[in-house]
Amino acid sequence: MKRIIVAGILVGAGLMLAGCTLVPTARTPVVINPTTVHFGLLGKTIPGTPGGHVTFITQPVYIVDATGHLSPSSRIVPSPPTLASVLQELTLGPTPIEAATGFTSALPRSLVIVQAVVRQHVGYIGLATPLSTLSPRRDILATGQLALTAADVGATRGIEITVAGVVQHSPLPHGGTSDVVTARDYQSLLNS
């Protein structure tokens, strides 16, 4: 009986405290005086920079559609796009709307891109773990996602994937492997 009384008191005190807040509320939006906003947060440029600003563009990334083929999907990235920024968007996977319509990614959720640069139209992608731990079909789709996405950022001569500085032998859709794979190698995976 004593436990029931103590539990009742705790529940009552919890309900009373739940109604308390330190932040005052208002029923309508409140206009904030611009003179009270500090640190240049209302400026047209990035605070603390001499006129710095960021522009964004849409960039295609390739994800797996409901039929198991690769399809382009737009992502917003800073301009000019870099291989690292676009691949970062690719690793996030499909948006909730895309996922609801059956889109997925062959790339592992835990994929860590250590580096991603384009030099002389070849994309050099350093991963923390190899894609070869995936099933053969998923490995091919994941490599295709990387190759097709990288081609649209300037890696037109292909990509080279490394893990801890060791070049990986990337699988090709029709058999075999290659150290440098191109978007053309994975055209057969596109949903046409």
Side-chain angles (χ1 to χ4, degrees):
M1 181 70 164
K2 190 174 183 180
R3 286 185 178 175
I4 294 174
I5 294 173
V6 171
I9 291 172
L10 288 175
V11 168
L15 289 173
M16 286 178 37
L17 289 174
C20 298
T21 180
L22 297 175
V23 179
T25 60
R27 295 193 187 280
T28 60
V30 177
V31 177
I32 298 173
N33 185 351
T35 60
T36 62
V37 179
H38 302 288
F39 308 114
L41 296 177
L42 294 179
K44 295 183 186 222
T45 61
I46 299 171
T49 64
H53 63 281
V54 178
T55 56
F56 296 92
I57 63 167
T58 58
Q59 187 70 29
V61 298
Y62 288 80
I63 56 177
V64 183
D65 65 15
T67 66
H69 293 88
L70 297 179
S71 293
S73 182
S74 294
R75 296 294 186 268
I76 298 173
V77 296
S79 178
T82 64
L83 183 57
S85 67
V86 175
L87 290 183
Q88 182 62 38
E89 288 297 316
L90 177 63
T91 61
L92 296 176
T95 65
I97 293 172
E98 292 168 342
T101 58
F103 283 78
T104 61
S105 178
L107 296 168
R109 289 195 182 271
S110 60
L111 181 70
V112 175
I113 298 175
V114 178
Q115 74 157 5
V117 296
V118 176
R119 288 191 298 260
Q120 297 177 349
H121 302 286
V122 176
Y124 296 92
I125 303 171
L127 302 178
T129 56
L131 295 175
S132 60
T133 59
L134 303 172
S135 69
R137 172 73 178 155
R138 194 167 165 205
D139 188 4
I140 290 170
L141 282 171
T143 306
Q145 283 184 266
L146 293 171
L148 290 164
T149 299
D152 287 333
V153 186
T156 54
R157 292 179 54 205
I159 61 168
E160 178 184 271
I161 300 173
T162 61
V163 175
V166 178
V167 176
Q168 303 296 295
H169 303 290
S170 297
L172 297 169
H174 302 293
T177 62
S178 180
D179 292 349
V180 176
V181 293
T182 66
R184 190 176 321 129
D185 294 329
Y186 298 91
Q187 291 293 317
S188 63
L189 301 179
L190 290 174
N191 192 354
S192 48

